[in-house]
Amino acid sequence: MSQITAFQQELEREALTTRKMLSVIPTDKFGWKPHEKSMTIKSLATHIADIFTWFGMVMNTSELDFAKNPYQAEEVNTTPELLTLFEKNLVEGRTALANGKDEQLKDNWMMRNGEEIWVNDNKHDVLRMCFGQIIHHRAQMGVFLRLLNVPIPGSYGPSADEMGL
């Protein structure tokens, strides 16, 4: 199996789990955050949805420089709008991987803010980081929702809520 094919399969598995998590976020809690240093639920959810565009960015560019391209999240105000954004971004990620070649994965990719370099690695390892970011931030969302007493969908098997615990 090619590395791109393996990434495509992983993208589909993580998309299912991410869709379940994003779909239970209550719109009326978009402004909530558990701590002053935390993102709001809306910011975290939008970030999770946006990570699915990173696959195309990594495959089709050699770097992201925030000094030249400041991050601007797309505006969403409801859970259905969030899910629409997620689905659009998922198509972008799928397309990038479908058009990708294993040879590209050896190429270097960099994330920076001007002269400050945050990531400088081969595209294979950066794509692995993208999956790690999805999983990491989705887990954060699970904690946020648990604190709000929102039932959590399972990720890699049933959650305590799904098991009736």
Side-chain angles (χ1 to χ4, degrees):
M1 173 186 320
S2 77
Q3 294 174 349
I4 291 289
T5 300
F7 282 140
Q8 289 174 298
Q9 291 175 355
E10 187 171 3
L11 182 76
E12 294 307 319
R13 286 189 303 271
E14 294 307 328
L16 290 173
T17 305
T18 301
R19 185 181 296 110
K20 288 190 303 183
M21 182 67 76
L22 296 178
S23 71
V24 300
I25 298 170
T27 296
D28 67 340
K29 299 298 184 193
F30 269 25
W32 186 85
K33 59 184 183 176
H35 187 273
E36 65 186 40
K37 292 182 181 179
S38 298
M39 289 187 261
T40 64
I41 283 182
K42 176 181 171 178
S43 295
L44 180 58
T46 303
H47 181 54
I48 293 167
D50 282 346
I51 295 170
F52 286 83
T53 67
W54 292 12
F55 296 94
M57 179 177 49
V58 171
M59 293 302 293
N60 299 315
T61 69
S62 61
E63 75 170 24
L64 170 61
D65 185 348
F66 286 105
K68 295 177 184 173
N69 300 293
Y71 175 72
Q72 181 63 43
E74 218 171 298
E75 187 65 29
V76 296
N77 294 300
T78 66
T79 303
E81 289 176 7
L82 172 64
L83 290 170
T84 298
L85 175 65
F86 166 72
E87 295 298 340
K88 176 181 75 94
N89 293 347
L90 176 58
V91 168
E92 187 176 324
R94 283 176 174 150
T95 301
L97 291 178
N99 294 327
K101 305 285 183 238
D102 280 353
E103 299 78 44
Q104 290 175 270
L105 299 176
K106 297 173 188 169
D107 295 342
N108 197 64
W109 192 84
M110 187 180 303
M111 182 187 298
R112 65 171 60 222
N113 188 20
E115 295 302 313
E116 185 179 6
I117 297 172
W118 295 339
V119 174
N120 186 8
D121 217 334
N122 64 65
K123 290 184 178 193
H124 176 276
D125 289 352
V126 175
L127 291 179
R128 290 285 342 121
M129 181 192 70
C130 292
F131 284 113
Q133 286 291 303
I134 292 167
I135 295 163
H136 162 73
H137 289 302
R138 198 174 60 218
Q140 280 183 294
M141 182 61 72
V143 172
F144 283 27
L145 295 174
R146 175 66 71 219
L147 291 170
L148 291 170
N149 212 25
V150 173
I152 309 299
S155 292
Y156 306 107
S159 71
D161 296 303
E162 292 170 330
M163 294 176 64
L165 301 177

